[in-house]
Amino acid sequence: MENNYKYKAGSYDVVVVGAGHAGCEAGLATARLGLKTLVLTTSMEAVADMPCNPNIGGTGKGHIVREIDALGGQMALNIDKTFIQSRMLNTSKGPAVHSLRVQADKRKYHEEMKKTLENQENLDLFEQEVDKINYEDGKIVSCETVQGAIYETKAIIIATGTYLNGKILIGEYEKTSGPHGLQAATYLSACLEEMGFKLRRFKTGTPARVDRKSINYEKTEVQRGDEEVIPFSFLNEGEDFSDRKQENCYLTYTTKETKDIIMDNLDRSPIYGGHIKGVGPRYCPSIEDKMVRFPDRDIHQVFIEPESLSTDEMYIQGVSSSLPQDVQMDFYKTIIGLEDVKIMRPAYAIEYDMIDTRRLYRTLESRDYEGLYFAGQINGSSGYEEAGGQGLIAGINAALKIKGEDPLILDRSDAYIGVLIDDLVTKGTEEPYRMMTSRCEYRLTMRQDNADQRLTERAYKIGLVSEERYQKMLAKRANIDGEIERLKSVVLTPKEDINAKLIDLGSTPLKNAMSLYDLIKRPELTYEALGVFDKERPSLPKFQQIEVQSEIKYEGYIRKQMADIDKFKKLEKQKLPKDFDYYKVKGLKKESAEKLNDIKPESIGQASRISGVSPADINVLMIRLKTGELDG
């Protein structure tokens, strides 16, 4: 029912709409930068909720968490407080793709983040649904809630996640709802459309939660956490987590019978029955999608993961579904180890609204409305980490704009967050966007272990990182640089005992004198293993050891990548005018001019990444830029 009664409820510098992972980071950033901030949520239970997989990190995503931390965000600190299993992935591969993935106690994660918001100076948290955004001359002035409250503000950050016009689907059953039954945001979509935003429907899904007591673990493979826990936050480097009890996860598989039941009931899936209009994530498909996409495969991996220490619910990763509840009851019992399983919450799909992100600047501010920012799944991304990174950048830039300072823009050579945002605003996305290491051109220089070296100084300069933290980063950098130089001075000679130890390490004997620095470059040797020759080495924390090794072992590749980055930066520095009609540029193809007019790239570099704009078009732009034909 519409509420016609309106009243002025207060004035804030920034209003954040939504309190998921994007909203939390946005609100904390603006408040910590000294701005009076209001965070509105449809439900207090939605604050930093984990409606899908109860973990943080993973391949590519772990890099983003480290970058959030390096920039003064909260996600890494919160997961370090609340993890129940920790594993470093891809350790058999190079350091560029090493990624930390930790299982969260989802209830504690929510509670700790909510407590952080509640205790944050300059921040108010309130349960209200926003239904209208008000603006004057293209500039944001206030927002209104369904209860009639009007909040005057200088900036609004929309971070509605999967709640915006959310709809849950389980077979023939449909319900307007946010994740797991929480209230959806049902009014704001109409306002955004009236403002000219093009909305699309995306979809995601989640599997059933089952009773841990009904699982036959003897039929599964145990997945234990790492003995040595490496924390997510750089502030926790060197902390001892050995007393933290870790929970096990379990690996199992679907069966041919699982496939038969799903395929026999495919017509009852809203995905294939035509009831779901939204586009789902390519890299996290439902179990019915897997059966259709890979018809020759009879079995698929399934991971069973604990949701929290305070519940018996277990998350069945890899088996999200929108099939009817009765079909779910049948096919889950065909998974090895789940023959007698008891489902506590059925799997479901959820549809929600998102915007065309090509109408945003890289600050995540709208091109059409000054002071209006968007972050998280409303921008077409998937994942808590991608949302958190966007929320932090939106919050920082909203605060900097209000304070009259230059924006913080991370480019593709700065951070995974920069790659994420550049992809979204330059190319848009036709499906829920997931960060992967393969999307990053400069991943060897943008490792998870050096995120603080890349970003903390920038956060310090804008006031989001303390002096103490900044000095800690500088001391770490000095340690690493000092150790690299010291290793160059420690020289081994081809003596019998030295060569015998090298052979024991699987390496070839020395023929000439060689420094430890050069020995580390051998693929089979590591910084740690060479400790047998280096009795005087200083005691460095594990993270610093990894960074020393990476910088030495991949020195040549890093040097080459830095040269590529220099070329990239030159194109990024060639700025294009904000409001220019590219139809006027002679030599540009019509379709290229159309795309350039639509996206309005900030630089030659960004223009070169627009799909359909060719190298020949870029050459035309560069020539016209030099001759001054693009001015005005």
Side-chain angles (χ1 to χ4, degrees), residues 215-217 219-223 250-259 262 287 290-291 297-304 316-319 331-339:
I215 298 169
N216 185 346
Y217 299 101
K219 292 187 175 183
T220 67
E221 301 173 34
V222 178
Q223 305 279 299
Y250 304 88
L251 171 63
T252 187
Y253 298 89
T254 63
T255 62
K256 177 65 165 57
E257 190 180 357
T258 315
K259 181 178 180 180
I262 290 171
I287 190 65
K290 291 180 186 178
M291 300 302 181
R297 290 186 60 181
D298 288 337
I299 64 171
H300 296 268
Q301 277 190 336
V302 175
F303 291 92
I304 305 173
I316 312 301
Q317 185 194 344
V319 198
F331 83 70
Y332 272 103
K333 289 186 177 182
T334 65
I335 297 171
I336 296 171
L338 302 187
E339 293 83 358

Side-chain angles (χ1 to χ4, degrees), residues 495-510 519 522 524-525 530 532-533:
K495 294 180 179 179
E496 186 176 340
D497 61 330
I498 288 175
N499 281 337
K501 288 179 181 178
L502 282 172
I503 291 170
D504 288 343
L505 292 172
S507 194
T508 55
L510 293 177
L519 273 172
R522 291 185 175 184
E524 70 278 5
L525 296 179
L530 291 175
V532 297
F533 304 110

Side-chain angles (χ1 to χ4, degrees), residues 99-264:
S99 292
L100 187 60
R101 180 187 187 274
V102 299
Q103 200 70 21
D105 184 319
K106 65 182 294 182
R107 293 189 177 184
K108 285 187 178 178
Y109 189 94
H110 153 76
E111 290 167 0
E112 287 293 332
M113 188 66 87
K114 184 169 179 282
K115 190 186 302 180
T116 300
L117 265 65
E118 290 169 347
N119 293 333
Q120 177 61 51
E121 186 180 1
N122 299 323
L123 190 150
D124 291 336
L125 180 63
F126 193 39
E127 188 175 276
Q128 289 272 285
E129 179 184 348
V130 171
D131 66 346
K132 190 176 180 184
I133 295 168
N134 297 315
Y135 55 92
E136 293 176 3
D137 298 323
K139 188 173 183 178
I140 296 303
V141 294
S142 68
C143 67
E144 301 179 15
T145 72
V146 293
Q147 286 88 351
I150 299 174
Y151 294 99
E152 295 179 348
T153 185
K154 300 169 186 174
I156 294 174
I157 301 171
I158 307 294
T160 46
T162 60
Y163 290 81
L164 189 61
N165 211 13
K167 181 197 289 186
I168 281 180
L169 300 103
I170 306 174
E172 297 84 0
Y173 171 77
E174 296 183 7
K175 177 185 178 183
T176 298
S177 176
H180 48 233
L182 294 178
Q183 180 183 330
T186 55
Y187 296 95
L188 187 57
S189 289
C191 174
L192 292 174
E193 286 186 310
E194 287 175 8
M195 294 172 72
F197 291 97
K198 296 177 182 177
L199 301 184
R200 293 184 58 201
R201 297 290 276 174
F202 271 9
K203 173 193 79 72
T204 189
T206 190
R209 272 63 160 188
V210 306
D211 189 335
R212 71 166 71 222
K213 299 187 296 297
S214 65
I215 298 169
N216 185 346
Y217 299 101
E218 293 182 359
K219 292 187 175 183
T220 67
E221 301 173 34
V222 178
Q223 305 279 299
R224 293 184 172 86
D226 293 339
E227 288 187 12
E228 182 180 5
V229 172
I230 295 178
F232 252 125
S233 176
F234 291 101
L235 286 173
N236 289 328
E237 280 186 12
E239 293 293 321
D240 184 7
F241 288 89
S242 59
D243 61 344
R244 184 80 66 88
K245 181 180 179 294
Q246 295 197 56
E247 294 290 298
N248 290 332
C249 296
Y250 304 88
L251 171 63
T252 187
Y253 298 89
T254 63
T255 62
K256 177 65 165 57
E257 190 180 357
T258 315
K259 181 178 180 180
D260 290 342
I261 292 173
I262 290 171
M263 296 305 291
D264 287 346

Side-chain angles (χ1 to χ4, degrees), residues 446-502:
M446 284 165 35
R447 305 181 308 274
Q448 61 163 358
D449 60 79
N450 69 358
D452 57 340
Q453 311 294 307
R454 293 184 276 119
L455 300 172
T456 294
E457 184 171 359
R458 297 177 73 170
Y460 169 71
K461 287 179 178 178
I462 63 176
L464 203 52
V465 162
S466 67
E467 177 71 29
E468 180 183 1
R469 179 167 189 168
Y470 177 57
Q471 292 300 326
K472 182 177 181 179
M473 184 276 292
L474 293 179
K476 174 184 172 181
R477 183 70 255 170
N479 282 348
I480 292 166
D481 290 343
E483 178 63 355
I484 289 173
E485 289 303 309
R486 189 193 70 82
L487 289 167
K488 292 178 180 178
S489 67
V490 181
V491 179
L492 303 184
T493 55
K495 294 180 179 179
E496 186 176 340
D497 61 330
I498 288 175
N499 281 337
K501 288 179 181 178
L502 282 172

Side-chain angles (χ1 to χ4, degrees), residues 574 576-577 580 582 584-588 604 617-631:
Q574 296 185 51
L576 292 169
F580 185 81
Y582 288 93
K584 296 178 180 179
V585 179
K586 294 179 181 178
L588 273 185
I604 290 289
D617 296 321
I618 297 302
N619 285 334
V620 170
L621 289 178
M622 291 175 72
I623 292 169
R624 301 291 184 262
L625 196 61
K626 286 180 181 178
T627 59
E629 293 176 56
L630 298 184
D631 294 342

Side-chain angles (χ1 to χ4, degrees), residues 65 68-69 73-81 232-233 236:
V65 181
I68 291 171
D69 184 68
Q74 192 65 25
M75 181 173 277
L77 287 166
N78 208 59
I79 191 60
D80 281 352
K81 291 179 186 177
F232 252 125
S233 176
N236 289 328

